[in-house]
Amino acid sequence: MKDDLKLTIGKLAKISGVGVETVRFYERKGLIKRPAKQEGSFRHYPEVEAKKIRFIKKAQELGFTLKEIKELLQLQIREQATCGNITQRAEVKLSEVEAKIKDLKNMRRSLIKLVDSCGDKKISLKQCRVLDCFEPGWKC
Amino acid sequence: MKDDLKLTIGKLAKISGVGVETVRFYERKGLIKRPAKQEGSFRHYPEVEAKKIRFIKKAQELGFTLKEIKELLQLQIREQATCGNITQRAEVKLSEVEAKIKDLKNMRRSLIKLVDSCGDKKISLKQCRVLDCFEPGWKC
DNA sequence: ATAAACTCCGTACTTTAGTACGGAGTCAAC
DNA sequence: GTTGACTCCGTACTAAAGTACGGAGTTTAT
């Protein structure tokens, strides 16, 4: 409620690092909502929308689709009543996030091993394959 | 060199969890290469290709594009000569992986906080926004 | 040895996530 | 008070990553 004074779509796009068309696209997809109380005929956004767009871009890099990101953004508690519902959905997302972390740690371990094995001639060269890192029971 | 006896494209697709068309698509994109020595006029793949396809699917879930995944798959040391080159590229990928892990950990912390705050009435409800978790200096 | 199932190849279609375009209206700066 | 930049809206186009189709050839199972 402070300084959402003059955030037109162009300025929002700029500070969020996307194009104007992308903002409108996210609006159509229901990821950000059109500001209700407009003075004049142009949109005026609160600053939190910039955070939201940056969140979207980051989450995409982590392998979430826009549909999934929308679900993440809906995880906001407004009243105690809806809490159980939200907690439940949050826990699902949490386990997805943890699965990704686990997989990325395997990939990291594999890459570290690869880098190390170049310095050390004792390590067999062809055993260092990144593609093995997700196989069940894999230990590099 | 063991039992790549009879892995036709259909069987490869099945054990890898994708469709036949997808295998051919990856082949066209250069992610997997067509088996050279064919006996008969059909493709016969070594088993390692199944691992490769499973790697591709996993890596996609972690936000890597096919272009990036191709680069990851090319990180294989064959001789000491190319080692420096590969190490260098592996280190770039490694830092990307570490950045993703860091971001996912922030997201995880944010989701945990959200879940916790539902059990605890003392925590302010509206402060728990997942969308803040990537902002610089964020502490949940 | 013949039918069923599978493979090959090229081409076309689909979905997701944007990007671009263009005419009309609006705002603000000089 | 006009001019230039910005906004609005609908529509169309694009790239990435598949997915489907269909006719012809090949393999295998009976």
Side-chain angles (χ1 to χ4, degrees):
Chain A
M1 304 327 198
K2 268 165 203 128
D3 41 1
D4 4 330
L5 299 165
K6 288 249 116 96
L7 218 38
T8 61
I9 195 167
K11 284 178 188 155
L12 173 64
K14 187 159 220 176
I15 65 172
S16 311
V18 300
V20 167
E21 307 302 319
T22 303
V23 176
R24 296 202 327 109
F25 175 73
Y26 290 160
E27 200 174 274
R28 283 203 297 283
K29 287 281 158 184
L31 283 152
I32 58 181
K33 61 173 180 303
R34 183 150 189 187
K37 31 148 202 178
Q38 292 172 228
E39 32 198 284
S41 52
F42 290 174
R43 295 167 179 85
H44 290 284
Y45 294 95
E47 262 192 296
V48 71
E49 298 301 277
K51 278 189 193 179
K52 202 179 277 187
I53 293 169
R54 286 192 295 265
F55 177 86
I56 294 168
K57 301 316 283 181
K58 274 283 187 187
Q60 280 185 308
E61 287 171 25
L62 300 173
F64 293 96
T65 64
L66 289 188
K67 185 170 164 293
E68 291 169 325
I69 293 166
K70 190 175 173 183
E71 288 163 6
L72 282 167
L73 289 171
Q74 279 162 355
L75 294 176
Q76 259 191 89
I77 303 161
R78 271 165 242 283
E79 9 170 10
Q80 210 75 24
T82 60
C83 217
N85 191 354
I86 284 168
T87 301
Q88 215 170 345
R89 285 181 288 143
E91 272 165 351
V92 173
K93 290 295 174 197
L94 184 55
S95 68
E96 285 167 20
V97 167
E98 275 166 351
K100 279 179 201 274
I101 290 172
K102 188 167 152 290
D103 286 338
L104 280 167
K105 281 183 171 174
N106 278 338
M107 196 186 274
R108 175 173 63 179
R109 180 202 286 264
S110 159
L111 285 170
I112 287 171
K113 197 74 177 182
L114 179 64
V115 168
D116 284 356
S117 71
C118 268
D120 184 355
K121 287 178 182 54
K122 281 197 290 290
I123 296 171
S124 165
L125 294 178
K126 71 174 168 305
Q127 288 319 101
C128 297
R129 289 183 313 191
V130 179
L131 65 89
D132 289 313
C133 74
F134 299 132
E135 296 298 318
W138 170 80
K139 282 281 154 250
C140 188
Chain B
M1 305 336 194
K2 269 165 204 124
D3 41 1
D4 4 330
L5 298 163
K6 290 249 114 99
L7 217 39
T8 61
I9 195 167
K11 285 176 188 156
L12 174 64
K14 188 159 217 176
I15 65 172
S16 312
V18 300
V20 168
E21 308 301 319
T22 303
V23 177
R24 296 200 330 106
F25 174 73
Y26 290 161
E27 200 175 273
R28 283 202 299 283
K29 287 281 158 184
L31 282 153
I32 59 183
K33 62 175 179 301
R34 185 151 187 189
K37 31 148 201 178
Q38 292 172 224
E39 32 200 285
S41 52
F42 290 175
R43 295 169 179 84
H44 290 284
Y45 294 95
E47 261 193 296
V48 71
E49 298 302 275
K51 278 189 192 178
K52 202 180 277 187
I53 292 169
R54 286 193 295 265
F55 176 86
I56 293 168
K57 301 315 286 179
K58 274 283 188 187
Q60 280 185 310
E61 285 172 26
L62 300 173
F64 293 96
T65 64
L66 290 187
K67 185 170 164 289
E68 291 169 326
I69 293 167
K70 190 175 173 184
E71 289 163 6
L72 282 167
L73 289 171
Q74 279 162 356
L75 295 177
Q76 257 191 91
I77 302 161
R78 270 166 244 282
E79 9 170 11
Q80 210 75 26
T82 60
C83 217
N85 191 354
I86 284 169
T87 301
Q88 215 170 345
R89 284 181 290 143
E91 274 166 350
V92 172
K93 290 295 174 198
L94 184 54
S95 68
E96 285 166 20
V97 167
E98 276 166 351
K100 280 179 200 277
I101 291 172
K102 189 167 152 287
D103 286 338
L104 280 168
K105 281 183 173 174
N106 279 338
M107 197 186 273
R108 176 173 61 180
R109 180 202 287 262
S110 158
L111 285 170
I112 288 172
K113 196 75 178 182
L114 179 64
V115 169
D116 285 356
S117 71
C118 267
D120 184 356
K121 286 180 180 56
K122 280 199 291 292
I123 295 171
S124 165
L125 293 179
K126 71 176 168 303
Q127 287 319 101
C128 298
R129 289 183 312 190
V130 179
L131 66 88
D132 288 314
C133 74
F134 299 130
E135 294 298 318
W138 171 80
K139 281 282 152 249
C140 189

